Amino acid sequence: MRQHDTLFIGGDWVAPAGTGTIDVVSPHTEEIVGRVPDGTAADMDRAVAAARQAFDHGPWPRMTMPERAAVVGRLAELYAARQGEMAEIITEEMGSPITFSQMAQAPQPLGMLQYYAELGTTFPVEEERPGTFGTVTVRREPVGVVAAVVPWNVPQFVIMIKLAPALVAGCTVVVKPAPETPLDSYLLAEMIKEAGIPDGVVNIVAAGREAGEHLVSHPGVDKVAFTGSTAAGRRIASICGEQLKRCTLELGGKSAAIILDDCDLPSAMGFMSIATLMNNGQACVAQTRILASRNRYDEVVDAVASMVRGMQVGDPSDPATGIGPLVAKRQQERVEGYIKIGIDEGAKPVVGGLDRPHDRGWYVAPTVFAGATNEMRIAREEIFGPVLTVIPYEDEADAVRIANDSDYGLAGTVWTADTQHGMDIARQVRAGTYGVNLYMIENSSPFGGFKGSGLGRELGPEGLASYLEYKSIAHM
């Protein structure tokens, strides 16, 4: 069992203020695989104080951006050497299939470190513009102390999408991992210490909701970067609004995959399995609404059903597994509740349903609903599990209308033999990230959502800019 008795605060391993602990339970075996301290408000106070000291008086924000980028580059080298270990930890603690952990859970955070280490060598910190009576120097300075509050589904991805640009910008950070997945953050802390990042620049305290809200509300925090549910995002936005505190919110999604009539279904299904069911369906960007024309509706349903039937459900450490367990029993019950809702609404499960595929572990049968409409709850609410809903459309304009008829606007795809026509469809869908015949989150491009899917953008130069304040200096 992976056991930790300390927290990472001020560049050192320190004893927690309280005696509470967090048990990390394997979603596959339902056995305890780790135990860490349960952070308290007092621990958050100590972490913010360390971050505040490092920002107000330490060397990190006073280094040049290329100097900070070089340190982040050293962290990337250490991360590269241990990404296999990181993938195994994430699979163990939250049930992500090991192939997905090796393909995304560990490599994508590494890619972010490498991207921002490179961007930091060329990103303009100052620029001059003509003014009325002389010249204006526009300067970019770090926003300050950042609270990074992250969920359990892609823990390192969501930590790094905040931490890498914040570090290059010159901010100091308090990371609050989710209580379901704290183990990976301890490995990250070891690498941070080894990389030579100054004390207090990064602090990591795993904790529950109460301590998390204390961190978000802390007057010593200048910016909150949050990924999670839309409901929690609204609460955080209200706190930040009251305090005029900067915030970036990456929230939920209910994305649509539009299948056009010219799509080659057999070739599309390989990529579709990733776009729809990545990480056991526990992904905010998952395209869980599949839109098919009435001309090919039955054909699309059959193709999606065959795709899902072909994915092995089982032990996430087995490389042959395509879909593993959900993260917790409550999540299993939540997803099964939505499957029941879909049946009660009149949709037909052509694959899956309420019969569990395994007696042990928090497994749910991957389910494909046919005969659904976009007005059903299974088509409107984020389920966060392996449940797909195939919805018919009349023509392409109707497909775009259905895709946009959502409280969310995070992601989406279109599948077609004509890429340029697919681009025309992509331009009409109100979503922050989109794909034609595939779905990818690119380090060089902004990631975030429209409507209820959040505020602000992460990744790309825009992600770095979100950790910077702008200062205008007029001079003659």
Side-chain angles (χ1 to χ4, degrees):
M1 187 173 73
R2 303 176 192 270
Q3 182 147 347
H4 302 277
D5 301 318
T6 55
L7 303 170
F8 188 67
I9 298 176
D12 204 357
W13 299 103
V14 303
T19 58
T21 57
I22 296 170
D23 286 339
V24 182
V25 181
S26 163
H28 173 58
T29 66
E30 301 184 36
E31 296 173 354
I32 296 173
V33 295
R35 181 172 291 126
V36 304
D38 187 3
T40 65
D43 295 314
M44 293 300 180
D45 289 342
R46 185 174 181 181
V48 172
R52 189 80 260 165
Q53 173 69 21
F55 184 80
D56 293 339
H57 305 291
W60 190 250
R62 291 155 190 85
M63 295 165 63
T64 67
M65 188 175 286
E67 287 172 339
R68 291 191 295 266
V71 179
V72 171
R74 289 202 295 272
L75 177 59
E77 292 171 359
L78 295 168
Y79 205 103
R82 303 187 74 177
Q83 64 175 319
E85 183 181 355
M86 183 66 79
E88 290 174 0
I89 290 174
I90 294 173
T91 287
E92 183 180 40
E93 67 185 344
M94 65 76 55
S96 185
I98 189 63
T99 51
F100 185 76
S101 291
Q102 293 169 340
M103 177 182 70
Q105 294 273 24
Q108 283 197 300
L110 170 61
M112 292 178 208
L113 284 170
Q114 294 169 332
Y115 171 78
Y116 281 108
E118 177 64 26
L119 182 64
T121 64
T122 59
F123 192 86
V125 174
E126 291 188 356
E127 63 178 275
E128 291 192 348
R129 301 177 186 176
T132 303
F133 297 106
T135 302
V136 178
T137 298
V138 178
R139 176 172 170 78
R140 298 164 178 87
E141 298 181 354
V143 70
V145 174
V146 175
V149 182
V150 303
W152 45 260
N153 62 323
V154 280
Q156 281 292 301
F157 175 94
V158 182
I159 287 175
M160 207 58 71
I161 206 171
K162 299 161 178 39
L163 183 62
L167 288 178
V168 171
C171 298
T172 60
V173 186
V174 179
V175 178
K176 191 207 82 69
E180 294 84 358
T181 53
L183 300 177
D184 59 279
S185 66
Y186 279 83
L187 178 58
L188 175 62
E190 291 176 14
M191 292 185 273
I192 287 168
K193 192 169 178 64
E194 187 177 352
I197 295 174
D199 293 351
V201 171
V202 182
N203 310 271
I204 303 175
V205 181
R209 182 174 297 178
E210 186 175 330
E213 182 158 329
H214 182 80
L215 172 63
V216 167
S217 306
H218 201 292
V221 169
D222 299 300
K223 174 184 168 104
V224 176
F226 171 76
T227 297
S229 72
T230 299
R234 288 192 178 99
R235 173 63 182 157
I236 290 171
S238 69
I239 293 170
C240 292
E242 290 172 1
Q243 300 181 0
L244 291 180
K245 184 179 293 184
R246 281 78 178 132
C247 68
T248 302
L249 306 174
E250 193 271 289
L251 308 177
K254 193 67 180 178
S255 302
I258 300 174
I259 301 181
L260 300 185
D261 279 348
D262 65 354
C263 172
D264 178 18
L265 288 176
S267 64
M269 287 301 113
F271 293 104
M272 183 81 73
S273 65
I274 299 172
T276 58
L277 292 171
M278 68 179 88
N279 204 30
N280 312 331
Q282 297 171 131
C284 54
V285 296
Q287 275 108 82
T288 55
R289 291 184 298 152
I290 299 175
L291 311 188
S293 75
R294 293 197 183 276
N295 295 334
R296 298 189 71 185
Y297 184 79
D298 291 342
E299 187 182 352
V300 171
V301 169
D302 289 344
V304 173
S306 295
M307 174 193 79
V308 173
R309 288 192 190 101
M311 299 177 74
Q312 179 172 308
V313 181
D315 184 350
S317 66
D318 183 349
T321 293
I323 297 179
L326 301 185
V327 72
K329 184 173 181 60
R330 71 171 192 283
Q331 191 68 12
Q332 179 190 48
E333 293 172 346
R334 168 188 167 86
V335 174
E336 288 179 338
Y338 272 105
I339 293 173
K340 185 177 186 305
I341 287 169
I343 294 170
D344 291 344
E345 287 179 317
K348 178 186 176 183
V350 294
V351 175
L354 292 171
D355 291 334
R356 293 177 178 174
H358 297 286
D359 294 332
R360 185 180 68 167
W362 296 314
Y363 289 89
V364 169
T367 300
V368 177
F369 278 109
T373 70
N374 201 52
E375 287 67 45
M376 292 179 177
R377 286 181 63 189
I378 56 170
R380 304 206 69 82
E381 299 177 15
E382 187 175 38
I383 298 174
F384 225 63
V387 179
L388 306 179
T389 304
V390 187
I391 301 169
Y393 65 82
E394 300 298 334
D395 53 27
E396 291 183 6
D398 191 42
V400 171
R401 180 193 64 78
I402 294 170
N404 285 331
D405 182 15
S406 173
D407 294 333
Y408 300 102
L410 186 58
T413 50
V414 59
W415 304 81
T416 174
D418 184 343
T419 300
Q420 288 306 311
H421 185 53
M423 289 292 294
D424 292 338
I425 298 292
R427 293 184 180 101
Q428 299 175 61
V429 178
R430 292 182 56 77
T433 53
Y434 209 80
V436 179
N437 297 324
L438 82 167
Y439 180 77
M440 289 287 292
I441 296 173
E442 298 285 357
N443 291 332
S444 61
S445 304
F447 172 68
F450 290 34
K451 298 182 282 188
S453 290
L455 299 172
R457 292 294 184 269
E458 297 178 300
L459 290 179
E462 295 82 0
L464 178 54
S466 73
Y467 291 93
L468 296 167
E469 293 278 21
Y470 286 77
K471 176 187 290 183
S472 298
I473 307 171
H475 51 94
M476 296 181 67

